Amino acid sequence: MILGTYYCIDGHTCGNPVRLVTSGHPTLLGESMSEKRQHFLRDYDWIRRALMFEPRGHDMMSGAFLYPPTTADGDVAILFIETSGCLPMCGHGTIGTVTFGLESGLITPKEQGVLKLDTPAGRVNAYYEMNAGKVTWVRLYNVPAFLAYQAVPVHVDGLGELTVDIAYGGNFYIIVEPQSLFAGVDQSCAAELLAWSPKVRAAVNAQINPIHPEDSTVCGASHVLWTGKPQHSDSHAANAVFYGDKALDRSPCGTGTSARMAQLYAKGLLKEGDTFVHESIIGSQFIGKVEGTTEVAGKVAIQPSIQGWARQTGSNCITVDDEDPYAFGFQV
Ligand code: PYC
């Protein structure tokens, strides 16, 4: 029996996949996208697994469903799906979703040039430029980002002692800067990062398990952000973000860049108004900016913005048939 048929626009944001699912949306209960995300996780997570994992997806696969806005002034709501789960917020996913949604006519803005987005993490405004039916760039004003824990010593089995920071930028990030056990990100260390990251994440969550002070459903450090020197002279820094069980983000990671800017701001290394060009493991760039400062539950936070671009690569009609032994995906 066919359990679902999903039309999708496939593409990428600065190299990382975005699969915008345009049909087959389950009806989700709840007032806010955070509540709808909980309902999806409870009853429909099989759709995420079927569309993200092999044989229909792959380790890095990431996507989104569009929903009607959940706020009076919102244009559209986004539910993020990924191999790592159902994220509260995804920066590269937002840039791709906005691009493909506008280009295909699925999203109609109330006001040209800006979209008010309802995401599980909260309001995100996306400014964009469109030329001859193509979106040239998207700049998203993300949810407030903050440094949650600084200089946490953590013992990682098989690796040793690391010192990490934990910052929030729409998801909680474990930030690992170069130190005696880690020389810094470059393309040749991808295999090591894939092997170490799950251990670092498990050790940090066993010790701390961060919880967002305004939404306890946003909890646990889901991503590990390894930092390093950039390849391009116009980038300020490079990073490689690990997510799920086997993924290294090919984009510079929007929520990760927000978390990194919050960490650097808290340490006095960035100030309000500063631009921060962040590079991915493949050399693609996001332009981040500390737009302003605010507070989250009494903690200093920044208002980050992230600019990037996305391209469509094709369209897809995916079926999930319960007679297929791999209907709900697998990982090797
Ligand atoms: O761009 O925020 C992001 C993101 C999260 C996971 C992968 N990319």
Side-chain angles (χ1 to χ4, degrees), residues 264-285:
L264 294 172
Y265 177 85
K267 293 183 170 186
L269 298 170
L270 279 181
K271 56 184 190 324
E272 195 170 334
D274 278 354
T275 291
F276 178 71
V277 180
H278 214 191
E279 195 175 285
S280 72
I281 196 155
I282 62 164
S284 57
Q285 295 170 313

Side-chain angles (χ1 to χ4, degrees), residues 16 62 82 87 89-93 171 173 223 241 243 249 251 253-256 286:
N16 215 44
S62 184
E82 203 177 78
L87 297 179
M89 172 56 197
C90 179
H92 93 275
N171 304 291
Y173 283 81
H223 297 59
V241 164
Y243 61 94
D249 198 331
S251 86
C253 191
T255 51
F286 279 167

Side-chain angles (χ1 to χ4, degrees), residues 164-223:
V164 305
D165 292 331
I166 301 170
Y168 178 79
N171 304 291
F172 279 107
Y173 283 81
I174 300 161
I175 301 178
V176 193
E177 296 183 309
Q179 49 196 281
S180 58
L181 287 178
F182 167 57
V185 162
D186 66 48
Q187 280 186 341
S188 67
C189 66
E192 276 110 332
L193 299 185
L194 286 169
W196 295 338
S197 296
K199 296 181 180 176
V200 173
R201 183 172 59 191
V204 167
N205 282 323
Q207 205 169 303
I208 288 185
N209 194 33
I211 299 176
H212 195 286
E214 292 173 349
D215 182 351
S216 61
T217 66
V218 177
C219 56
S222 44
H223 297 59

Side-chain angles (χ1 to χ4, degrees), residues 59-193:
D59 291 336
M60 258 68 60
M61 187 51 89
S62 184
F65 284 97
L66 293 173
Y67 278 89
T70 54
T71 57
D73 65 339
D75 286 284
V76 70
I78 306 181
L79 180 84
F80 300 103
I81 51 175
E82 203 177 78
T83 50
S84 63
C86 200
L87 297 179
M89 172 56 197
C90 179
H92 93 275
T94 301
I95 293 169
T97 297
V98 163
T99 302
F100 309 159
L102 288 166
E103 289 177 350
S104 64
L106 280 168
I107 302 178
T108 318
K110 290 184 181 131
E111 186 190 330
Q112 283 306 316
V114 62
L115 285 170
K116 294 190 171 76
L117 306 172
D118 296 324
T119 78
R123 168 53 55 81
V124 172
N125 288 334
Y127 289 78
Y128 61 89
E129 182 185 78
M130 209 162 171
N131 242 326
K134 295 274 183 218
V135 175
T136 41
W137 52 260
V138 176
R139 172 170 284 275
L140 59 96
Y141 286 68
N142 195 8
V143 295
F146 57 90
L147 178 62
Y149 297 89
Q150 191 169 344
V152 179
V154 57
H155 175 80
V156 183
D157 283 344
L159 185 59
E161 306 300 322
L162 277 181
T163 302
V164 305
D165 292 331
I166 301 170
Y168 178 79
N171 304 291
F172 279 107
Y173 283 81
I174 300 161
I175 301 178
V176 193
E177 296 183 309
Q179 49 196 281
S180 58
L181 287 178
F182 167 57
V185 162
D186 66 48
Q187 280 186 341
S188 67
C189 66
E192 276 110 332
L193 299 185

